[in-house]
Amino acid sequence: MGRGALGYMNFAEFFAMGGYASYVWGSFGITAAVLCLNGLAARLQRKHVAAEVRATLAERTELAP
Amino acid sequence: MSLLSRITKFASPAPFYDLAEHVIPWCWIIFYCSLLAGLVGGLVFAPADYQQGESFRIIYVHVPSAWMSLFVYMCMASAGIGSLIWKTKVSDAFGRAVAPLGASFTFIALVTGALWGKPMWGTYWVWDARLTSELILLFLYLGYMALQNAIEDARGAARAGAILAIVGTVNIPIIHYSVEWWNTLHQGPTVTKFDTPSIHWTMLLPLLAMVIAFTAYFFALGLRRTQTELLAMEPRNKWVEERLAI
């Protein structure tokens, strides 16, 4: 079985990562998860703060004559 | 307007917020493009290592996150200096905003390092100088975040955090030079040294792409979170009202 220029015969070999699949894909998976979670957290934080600020501004408008 | 005042105006919340609005989309574009280049280059085109086989590809997430863990800390400590000396809201907000990102990068570096160490060294962990000092870095980030959360007053929190961040800066050169100063299991420098890198360019280029990707990601999210912190700091201010109406 010759190896192509990229070293992988097919997707099966690519996913197998020479036997190190759980380590390699585990690493990329954890990285992707943490980066996505940070993105979500930032979005949630913005929503939360915007709502709080709008509430504060609404309060102020109500109290003003 | 002098050049200096052109720069220092961004120490004020509203100009900084608006500048960030312009910069953030570009950061995301750079992130996605360099991420694609790095992943394709690193997972597909880079040849397998003759000693480590395919497992060396963990480098493409491990090294960028490790570098970012140090870079973000330096940003946080620099913001701390700004908070202590010039007492600007922007530096207060920026320090608070980037800490969770730095902690995340440190976490990723430690976990991917462990996943790389198990097949290569036979162990997930060893108390050598590099790994131990990186773990301490994680504790510094977490301590900084806990400190900020514990202090009600935003200014007081910023000052306390700044002192912690600045004192902890001593850990950064320790982490970086640990592999030279001590006898570590972790390998020595491959790229950041005064010599040609001891890694083939086909493996190096995707690595640089991933570093650019992670940096762009950091600025995109870091600036966004800083904007959010600024909004929270000045809820009754007119500039906030204007920005949220958009």
Side-chain angles (χ1 to χ4, degrees):
Chain A
M1 290 237 212
R3 300 199 133 237
L6 299 182
Y8 307 112
M9 278 288 293
N10 50 37
F11 274 127
E13 285 196 3
F14 180 72
F15 286 122
M17 277 289 157
Y20 297 113
S22 46
Y23 301 109
V24 175
W25 297 121
S27 296
F28 280 82
I30 292 255
T31 305
V34 172
L35 296 189
C36 287
L37 281 172
N38 270 297
L40 278 169
R43 240 193 255 187
L44 278 171
Q45 192 202 22
R46 170 60 67 105
K47 241 197 250 178
H48 184 69
V49 166
E52 268 187 4
V53 169
R54 288 201 173 95
T56 310
L57 291 173
E59 228 177 86
R60 190 196 63 188
T61 324
E62 275 173 25
L63 291 173
Chain B
M1 224 184 176
S2 75
L3 178 62
L4 185 63
S5 55
R6 246 193 271 259
I7 296 172
T8 56
K9 83 167 183 190
F10 293 114
S12 303
F16 182 92
Y17 187 100
D18 295 336
L19 177 65
E21 261 322 89
H22 281 115
V23 171
I24 288 168
W26 288 107
C27 291
W28 284 121
I29 291 170
I30 294 170
F31 167 67
Y32 285 113
C33 290
S34 36
L35 181 69
L36 186 64
L39 287 179
V40 172
L43 291 172
V44 179
F45 287 104
D49 185 72
Y50 84 103
Q51 278 182 327
Q52 300 193 23
E54 310 289 351
S55 74
F56 98 95
R57 297 186 196 280
I58 297 175
I59 200 177
Y60 295 110
V61 285
H62 175 72
V63 167
S65 49
W67 282 353
M68 290 310 298
S69 72
L70 303 185
F71 175 73
V72 171
Y73 194 90
M74 293 310 295
C75 289
M76 207 170 79
S78 305
I81 292 174
S83 289
L84 286 181
I85 298 179
W86 294 287
K87 310 188 200 335
T88 53
K89 287 211 169 79
V90 168
S91 46
D92 291 358
F94 185 75
R96 255 185 109 85
V98 303
L101 294 170
S104 297
F105 287 125
T106 314
F107 175 78
I108 295 172
L110 290 166
V111 170
T112 56
L115 289 174
W116 197 357
K118 183 60 179 163
M120 289 301 115
W121 298 335
T123 181
Y124 288 111
W125 185 260
V126 66
W127 294 101
D128 84 356
R130 170 59 67 87
L131 277 69
T132 305
S133 51
E134 183 76 5
L135 183 63
I136 289 171
L137 183 67
L138 180 62
F139 295 153
L140 280 168
Y141 276 118
L142 295 177
Y144 178 95
M145 287 159 65
L147 192 59
Q148 292 269 10
N149 277 324
I151 300 174
E152 284 292 328
D153 162 48
R155 262 268 79 219
R159 279 178 44 225
I163 293 170
L164 176 60
I166 290 166
V167 168
T169 306
V170 68
N171 193 28
I172 301 301
I174 289 174
I175 293 170
H176 183 68
Y177 289 109
S178 57
V179 292
E180 293 175 47
W181 292 344
W182 290 284
N183 189 16
T184 59
L185 183 56
H186 191 287
Q187 66 164 73
T190 314
V191 181
T192 55
K193 55 181 194 178
F194 295 109
D195 201 348
T196 41
S198 38
I199 177 175
H200 196 264
W201 70 267
T202 49
M203 295 177 170
L204 179 61
L205 287 186
L207 183 60
L208 298 179
M210 290 300 278
V211 171
I212 291 170
F214 277 41
T215 309
Y217 169 90
F218 164 65
F219 278 114
L221 273 191
L223 290 175
R224 186 98 179 122
R225 291 186 72 118
T226 306
Q227 285 181 322
T228 305
E229 296 286 347
L230 288 171
L231 293 175
M233 277 178 184
E234 312 205 301
R236 288 181 179 76
N237 213 300
K238 186 131 208 311
W239 77 265
V240 169
E241 195 177 345
E242 287 167 11
R243 299 303 176 285
L244 282 185
I246 294 168

